[in-house]
Amino acid sequence: MSLTAGIVGLPNVGKSTLFNAITNQKILAENYPFATIEPNVGVVTVPDERMDKLKEMYNPNRFIPTAYEFTDIAGLVKGASKGEGLGNKFLSHIRETDAIVEVVRCFDDGKIIHVEGDINPIRDIETINLELAIADLEVINNRLERVSKKARTTKDKDDLLELDTLEKCKKALEENKPIRQLNLTEEEEKSIKSYSFLTKKPIIYLANIKESELTNPDNIYVKQVKEYAEKENAKVVSLCAKVEEDLSELTKEEKTEMLEALGLDSSGLDKLIKATYDILGLATYFTVGKDEVRAWTFKKGMNAKKCAGIIHTDFEKGFIRAEVISYEDLMKYGSELKVKEAGKARLEGKDYLMQDGDICHFRFNV
């Protein structure tokens, strides 16, 4: 599965510095608005200690961890949906992502310019979220003009469903409520899926704080962001973008030492990736062997047949069964053979719901 998150926020809140940390690339990160004038895309390896253990056990020829794609989008400003700043061109890039990471500046520093002149995270959040809502409303209004005439003339069931769902979404947005907060049915969800509404995407508020506050991150600004996020069941992750950038320059051993020196058990980036997986309802299964150890991302609730299709469509079409052992059992008994001898290996059919940490071998015939 190709998974993407868009990094958004006002200019000079730390987006590009964070992106440097995520991808260890040296994109432009200067102290002035609109330094990022094209969307920068980078792929980051998803940290998973289980993969390290499997690599040690199998010593494979190929080792392929799960990856996640992040897109750094130019700083949005008030009026972006109407073309202000660099305009709504960049809102279109967000539509292509699975989730939104909204970076919010939660520290004072007179040396770093703020586009609004002072630090006010809730104002900043509402500025960005309003632009996202206005952009969605524009899409809805344009579509309503066309679909309403067609639906009332033809009385087509699908058109009527789309019309009703769009009107629900419009009403919510006009009441300052993001589409993701609506309890839409599966059929309603399907009727508007193609529009990729911005306010329907899961969102994480990323509080960018000072290094000195990492061990006690709940400053007054972060508390405000958490209170705001709680109202819409959104997640908040606190990190120091500059520290994350510094960590990205280090070896694994050096990174561990620096985290210990900072009094942290994991990096902010690791926490961000975990939070992204949580809000998207994602999990990981593994395929193992001497040739390859590989992690595969799947949506919680997917059955074995659908998960097999993530590897190749032929696996899904000709699915026979899945041979499954759990990662925990493999670590406990030390080898696949010993897991089987302990009676812990299973043969599962197409309707088996894949679990996080399952190690699978799919049987298929096409």
Side-chain angles (χ1 to χ4, degrees), residues 136-174:
D136 280 351
L137 275 171
E138 184 178 354
V139 172
I140 290 172
N141 288 331
N142 289 338
R143 181 57 182 165
L144 280 174
E145 289 181 15
R146 294 192 292 271
V147 77
S148 59
K149 293 178 183 178
K150 182 182 176 184
R152 293 189 177 103
T153 301
T154 65
K155 303 297 182 183
D156 179 82
K157 178 183 173 183
D158 292 337
D159 290 338
L160 287 169
L161 176 62
E162 181 185 349
L163 175 62
D164 182 60
T165 308
L166 287 172
E167 288 177 340
K168 281 184 181 180
C169 293
K170 179 178 180 178
K171 184 174 184 293
L173 291 170
E174 289 175 342

Short mmCIF file of all heavy atoms in Angstrom, two decimals, residues 136-174:
data_model
loop_
_atom_site.label_atom_id
_atom_site.label_comp_id
_atom_site.label_asym_id
_atom_site.label_seq_id
_atom_site.Cartn_x
_atom_site.Cartn_y
_atom_site.Cartn_z
N ASP A 136 -12.77 22.93 0.21
CA ASP A 136 -13.76 21.85 0.09
C ASP A 136 -15.13 22.39 -0.31
O ASP A 136 -15.83 21.80 -1.13
CB ASP A 136 -13.88 21.09 1.41
CG ASP A 136 -12.76 20.07 1.61
OD1 ASP A 136 -12.00 19.84 0.65
OD2 ASP A 136 -12.65 19.51 2.72
N LEU A 137 -15.52 23.51 0.27
CA LEU A 137 -16.81 24.12 -0.08
C LEU A 137 -16.88 24.50 -1.55
O LEU A 137 -17.92 24.34 -2.20
CB LEU A 137 -17.06 25.35 0.79
CG LEU A 137 -17.69 25.09 2.16
CD1 LEU A 137 -17.68 26.37 2.99
CD2 LEU A 137 -19.13 24.58 2.01
N GLU A 138 -15.77 24.97 -2.08
CA GLU A 138 -15.74 25.34 -3.49
C GLU A 138 -15.99 24.11 -4.37
O GLU A 138 -16.75 24.16 -5.33
CB GLU A 138 -14.40 25.97 -3.83
CG GLU A 138 -14.31 26.46 -5.28
CD GLU A 138 -12.99 27.14 -5.58
OE1 GLU A 138 -12.18 27.34 -4.65
OE2 GLU A 138 -12.76 27.47 -6.76
N VAL A 139 -15.35 23.00 -4.01
CA VAL A 139 -15.55 21.75 -4.76
C VAL A 139 -17.01 21.30 -4.66
O VAL A 139 -17.64 20.92 -5.65
CB VAL A 139 -14.61 20.64 -4.22
CG1 VAL A 139 -14.96 19.29 -4.86
CG2 VAL A 139 -13.16 20.99 -4.50
N ILE A 140 -17.55 21.36 -3.44
CA ILE A 140 -18.93 20.92 -3.23
C ILE A 140 -19.92 21.78 -4.01
O ILE A 140 -20.82 21.26 -4.68
CB ILE A 140 -19.27 20.95 -1.72
CG1 ILE A 140 -18.50 19.85 -0.99
CG2 ILE A 140 -20.78 20.79 -1.49
CD1 ILE A 140 -18.61 19.90 0.52
N ASN A 141 -19.78 23.10 -3.93
CA ASN A 141 -20.71 23.99 -4.63
C ASN A 141 -20.67 23.78 -6.14
O ASN A 141 -21.71 23.79 -6.81
CB ASN A 141 -20.40 25.44 -4.28
CG ASN A 141 -20.81 25.80 -2.86
OD1 ASN A 141 -21.75 25.21 -2.32
ND2 ASN A 141 -20.10 26.73 -2.23
N ASN A 142 -19.47 23.59 -6.68
CA ASN A 142 -19.35 23.34 -8.11
C ASN A 142 -20.04 22.04 -8.51
O ASN A 142 -20.70 21.96 -9.55
CB ASN A 142 -17.88 23.29 -8.53
CG ASN A 142 -17.22 24.65 -8.49
OD1 ASN A 142 -17.89 25.68 -8.55
ND2 ASN A 142 -15.90 24.67 -8.40
N ARG A 143 -19.88 21.01 -7.68
CA ARG A 143 -20.48 19.71 -7.99
C ARG A 143 -21.98 19.73 -7.79
O ARG A 143 -22.74 19.12 -8.57
CB ARG A 143 -19.84 18.63 -7.12
CG ARG A 143 -20.37 17.22 -7.37
CD ARG A 143 -20.22 16.79 -8.80
NE ARG A 143 -20.78 15.47 -9.04
CZ ARG A 143 -21.04 14.98 -10.24
NH1 ARG A 143 -20.79 15.70 -11.33
NH2 ARG A 143 -21.55 13.77 -10.38
N LEU A 144 -22.45 20.44 -6.76
CA LEU A 144 -23.89 20.49 -6.48
C LEU A 144 -24.67 21.08 -7.65
O LEU A 144 -25.79 20.64 -7.94
CB LEU A 144 -24.15 21.30 -5.21
CG LEU A 144 -23.95 20.58 -3.88
CD1 LEU A 144 -24.11 21.55 -2.71
CD2 LEU A 144 -24.93 19.42 -3.73
N GLU A 145 -24.09 22.06 -8.31
CA GLU A 145 -24.77 22.67 -9.45
C GLU A 145 -25.07 21.65 -10.53
O GLU A 145 -26.13 21.68 -11.17
CB GLU A 145 -23.91 23.80 -10.04
CG GLU A 145 -23.81 25.03 -9.17
CD GLU A 145 -22.97 26.12 -9.82
OE1 GLU A 145 -22.71 26.02 -11.05
OE2 GLU A 145 -22.56 27.06 -9.12
N ARG A 146 -24.14 20.73 -10.73
CA ARG A 146 -24.31 19.73 -11.79
C ARG A 146 -25.16 18.54 -11.34
O ARG A 146 -26.07 18.13 -12.04
CB ARG A 146 -22.94 19.24 -12.26
CG ARG A 146 -22.11 20.31 -12.96
CD ARG A 146 -20.90 19.73 -13.66
NE ARG A 146 -19.92 19.21 -12.72
CZ ARG A 146 -18.93 19.95 -12.19
NH1 ARG A 146 -18.82 21.23 -12.53
NH2 ARG A 146 -18.07 19.42 -11.35
N VAL A 147 -24.83 18.00 -10.16
CA VAL A 147 -25.49 16.77 -9.75
C VAL A 147 -26.95 16.99 -9.32
O VAL A 147 -27.79 16.10 -9.48
CB VAL A 147 -24.70 16.09 -8.61
CG1 VAL A 147 -24.93 16.78 -7.28
CG2 VAL A 147 -25.06 14.62 -8.51
N SER A 148 -27.28 18.18 -8.82
CA SER A 148 -28.65 18.43 -8.37
C SER A 148 -29.63 18.39 -9.53
O SER A 148 -30.72 17.79 -9.43
CB SER A 148 -28.75 19.77 -7.64
OG SER A 148 -28.35 20.83 -8.48
N LYS A 149 -29.27 19.00 -10.64
CA LYS A 149 -30.14 18.98 -11.83
C LYS A 149 -30.33 17.55 -12.35
O LYS A 149 -31.43 17.12 -12.65
CB LYS A 149 -29.55 19.86 -12.92
CG LYS A 149 -29.53 21.34 -12.59
CD LYS A 149 -28.88 22.14 -13.72
CE LYS A 149 -28.80 23.63 -13.34
NZ LYS A 149 -28.11 24.41 -14.41
N LYS A 150 -29.21 16.84 -12.43
CA LYS A 150 -29.24 15.48 -12.95
C LYS A 150 -30.05 14.55 -12.04
O LYS A 150 -30.88 13.76 -12.51
CB LYS A 150 -27.82 14.94 -13.09
CG LYS A 150 -27.73 13.54 -13.67
CD LYS A 150 -26.28 13.08 -13.74
CE LYS A 150 -26.20 11.63 -14.24
NZ LYS A 150 -24.81 11.12 -14.22
N ALA A 151 -29.83 14.66 -10.72
CA ALA A 151 -30.51 13.78 -9.77
C ALA A 151 -32.01 14.00 -9.77
O ALA A 151 -32.79 13.04 -9.72
CB ALA A 151 -29.94 13.99 -8.37
N ARG A 152 -32.43 15.25 -9.82
CA ARG A 152 -33.86 15.54 -9.78
C ARG A 152 -34.57 15.18 -11.09
O ARG A 152 -35.76 14.93 -11.10
CB ARG A 152 -34.06 17.02 -9.44
CG ARG A 152 -33.61 17.35 -8.01
CD ARG A 152 -34.01 18.74 -7.59
NE ARG A 152 -33.62 18.98 -6.20
CZ ARG A 152 -32.56 19.69 -5.83
NH1 ARG A 152 -31.79 20.24 -6.74
NH2 ARG A 152 -32.27 19.85 -4.55
N THR A 153 -33.81 15.14 -12.16
CA THR A 153 -34.39 14.79 -13.46
C THR A 153 -34.48 13.28 -13.63
O THR A 153 -35.53 12.75 -14.00
CB THR A 153 -33.55 15.38 -14.62
OG1 THR A 153 -33.50 16.79 -14.47
CG2 THR A 153 -34.16 15.01 -15.97
N THR A 154 -33.38 12.59 -13.35
CA THR A 154 -33.32 11.15 -13.60
C THR A 154 -33.81 10.32 -12.41
O THR A 154 -34.18 9.15 -12.59
CB THR A 154 -31.88 10.72 -13.92
OG1 THR A 154 -31.05 10.94 -12.76
CG2 THR A 154 -31.33 11.52 -15.10
N LYS A 155 -33.78 10.90 -11.22
CA LYS A 155 -34.12 10.18 -9.99
C LYS A 155 -33.19 8.97 -9.77
O LYS A 155 -33.56 7.99 -9.11
CB LYS A 155 -35.58 9.71 -10.00
CG LYS A 155 -36.60 10.81 -10.19
CD LYS A 155 -36.56 11.82 -9.05
CE LYS A 155 -37.62 12.91 -9.23
NZ LYS A 155 -37.55 13.92 -8.17
N ASP A 156 -32.00 9.06 -10.36
CA ASP A 156 -31.04 7.96 -10.22
C ASP A 156 -30.63 7.81 -8.76
O ASP A 156 -30.30 8.79 -8.08
CB ASP A 156 -29.81 8.24 -11.09
CG ASP A 156 -28.77 7.15 -10.98
OD1 ASP A 156 -28.93 6.12 -11.67
OD2 ASP A 156 -27.80 7.32 -10.21
N LYS A 157 -30.64 6.57 -8.29
CA LYS A 157 -30.35 6.28 -6.88
C LYS A 157 -28.98 6.78 -6.46
O LYS A 157 -28.82 7.40 -5.40
CB LYS A 157 -30.46 4.77 -6.66
CG LYS A 157 -30.15 4.33 -5.25
CD LYS A 157 -30.21 2.81 -5.14
CE LYS A 157 -29.74 2.33 -3.77
NZ LYS A 157 -29.73 0.84 -3.69
N ASP A 158 -27.95 6.52 -7.27
CA ASP A 158 -26.59 6.93 -6.93
C ASP A 158 -26.44 8.45 -6.93
O ASP A 158 -25.76 9.02 -6.07
CB ASP A 158 -25.59 6.31 -7.90
CG ASP A 158 -25.49 4.79 -7.74
OD1 ASP A 158 -25.82 4.29 -6.65
OD2 ASP A 158 -25.10 4.12 -8.72
N ASP A 159 -27.06 9.10 -7.90
CA ASP A 159 -26.99 10.56 -7.97
C ASP A 159 -27.68 11.20 -6.77
O ASP A 159 -27.19 12.19 -6.21
CB ASP A 159 -27.62 11.07 -9.27
CG ASP A 159 -26.79 10.73 -10.50
OD1 ASP A 159 -25.58 10.50 -10.34
OD2 ASP A 159 -27.35 10.68 -11.60
N LEU A 160 -28.81 10.63 -6.38
CA LEU A 160 -29.55 11.18 -5.23
C LEU A 160 -28.73 11.00 -3.94
O LEU A 160 -28.73 11.88 -3.08
CB LEU A 160 -30.90 10.48 -5.09
CG LEU A 160 -31.95 10.87 -6.15
CD1 LEU A 160 -33.15 9.92 -6.08
CD2 LEU A 160 -32.42 12.32 -5.94
N LEU A 161 -28.05 9.85 -3.83
CA LEU A 161 -27.22 9.61 -2.65
C LEU A 161 -26.06 10.60 -2.61
O LEU A 161 -25.75 11.18 -1.56
CB LEU A 161 -26.67 8.18 -2.68
CG LEU A 161 -25.69 7.81 -1.56
CD1 LEU A 161 -26.36 7.91 -0.19
CD2 LEU A 161 -25.12 6.41 -1.77
N GLU A 162 -25.43 10.82 -3.75
CA GLU A 162 -24.32 11.77 -3.81
C GLU A 162 -24.80 13.17 -3.46
O GLU A 162 -24.14 13.90 -2.70
CB GLU A 162 -23.69 11.77 -5.21
CG GLU A 162 -22.51 12.72 -5.32
CD GLU A 162 -21.96 12.83 -6.74
OE1 GLU A 162 -22.35 12.02 -7.60
OE2 GLU A 162 -21.16 13.75 -6.99
N LEU A 163 -25.93 13.55 -3.99
CA LEU A 163 -26.49 14.88 -3.72
C LEU A 163 -26.74 15.06 -2.23
O LEU A 163 -26.35 16.09 -1.64
CB LEU A 163 -27.80 15.06 -4.50
CG LEU A 163 -28.58 16.35 -4.25
CD1 LEU A 163 -27.76 17.57 -4.64
CD2 LEU A 163 -29.90 16.34 -5.01
N ASP A 164 -27.37 14.07 -1.62
CA ASP A 164 -27.69 14.16 -0.19
C ASP A 164 -26.41 14.23 0.66
O ASP A 164 -26.33 15.01 1.61
CB ASP A 164 -28.53 12.94 0.22
CG ASP A 164 -28.93 12.98 1.69
OD1 ASP A 164 -29.62 13.95 2.08
OD2 ASP A 164 -28.54 12.07 2.44
N THR A 165 -25.41 13.44 0.29
CA THR A 165 -24.16 13.41 1.04
C THR A 165 -23.41 14.73 0.90
O THR A 165 -22.87 15.26 1.88
CB THR A 165 -23.27 12.24 0.57
OG1 THR A 165 -24.01 11.02 0.60
CG2 THR A 165 -22.04 12.11 1.47
N LEU A 166 -23.38 15.27 -0.31
CA LEU A 166 -22.71 16.56 -0.52
C LEU A 166 -23.39 17.67 0.28
O LEU A 166 -22.71 18.55 0.83
CB LEU A 166 -22.72 16.92 -2.01
CG LEU A 166 -21.76 16.12 -2.90
CD1 LEU A 166 -22.00 16.45 -4.37
CD2 LEU A 166 -20.31 16.38 -2.53
N GLU A 167 -24.71 17.63 0.35
CA GLU A 167 -25.43 18.65 1.12
C GLU A 167 -25.13 18.52 2.62
O GLU A 167 -25.02 19.51 3.34
CB GLU A 167 -26.92 18.55 0.84
CG GLU A 167 -27.29 19.07 -0.56
CD GLU A 167 -28.76 18.91 -0.90
OE1 GLU A 167 -29.43 18.08 -0.23
OE2 GLU A 167 -29.23 19.60 -1.83
N LYS A 168 -24.96 17.28 3.10
CA LYS A 168 -24.57 17.05 4.49
C LYS A 168 -23.19 17.65 4.76
O LYS A 168 -22.96 18.30 5.79
CB LYS A 168 -24.53 15.55 4.81
CG LYS A 168 -25.87 14.89 5.06
CD LYS A 168 -25.65 13.44 5.45
CE LYS A 168 -26.98 12.73 5.68
NZ LYS A 168 -26.78 11.31 6.06
N CYS A 169 -22.28 17.41 3.82
CA CYS A 169 -20.92 17.91 3.97
C CYS A 169 -20.90 19.43 3.95
O CYS A 169 -20.18 20.07 4.74
CB CYS A 169 -20.03 17.37 2.85
SG CYS A 169 -19.76 15.58 2.91
N LYS A 170 -21.69 20.01 3.07
CA LYS A 170 -21.74 21.47 2.97
C LYS A 170 -22.26 22.08 4.27
O LYS A 170 -21.70 23.05 4.78
CB LYS A 170 -22.63 21.89 1.80
CG LYS A 170 -22.74 23.41 1.64
CD LYS A 170 -23.60 23.78 0.44
CE LYS A 170 -23.70 25.30 0.32
NZ LYS A 170 -24.49 25.71 -0.85
N LYS A 171 -23.31 21.50 4.80
CA LYS A 171 -23.89 22.00 6.05
C LYS A 171 -22.88 21.94 7.19
O LYS A 171 -22.74 22.88 7.97
CB LYS A 171 -25.13 21.17 6.41
CG LYS A 171 -25.89 21.67 7.65
CD LYS A 171 -27.18 20.88 7.82
CE LYS A 171 -28.01 21.42 8.98
NZ LYS A 171 -27.37 21.22 10.30
N ALA A 172 -22.13 20.83 7.26
CA ALA A 172 -21.12 20.68 8.31
C ALA A 172 -20.05 21.75 8.19
O ALA A 172 -19.69 22.40 9.18
CB ALA A 172 -20.50 19.29 8.24
N LEU A 173 -19.55 21.96 6.98
CA LEU A 173 -18.48 22.94 6.77
C LEU A 173 -18.96 24.35 7.09
O LEU A 173 -18.21 25.16 7.66
CB LEU A 173 -17.98 22.86 5.33
CG LEU A 173 -17.20 21.59 4.98
CD1 LEU A 173 -16.96 21.50 3.48
CD2 LEU A 173 -15.87 21.52 5.73
N GLU A 174 -20.20 24.66 6.74
CA GLU A 174 -20.74 25.98 7.04
C GLU A 174 -20.93 26.19 8.54
O GLU A 174 -21.00 27.33 9.01
CB GLU A 174 -22.06 26.18 6.30
CG GLU A 174 -21.87 26.33 4.79
CD GLU A 174 -23.17 26.40 4.03
OE1 GLU A 174 -24.23 26.00 4.58
OE2 GLU A 174 -23.15 26.84 2.86
#
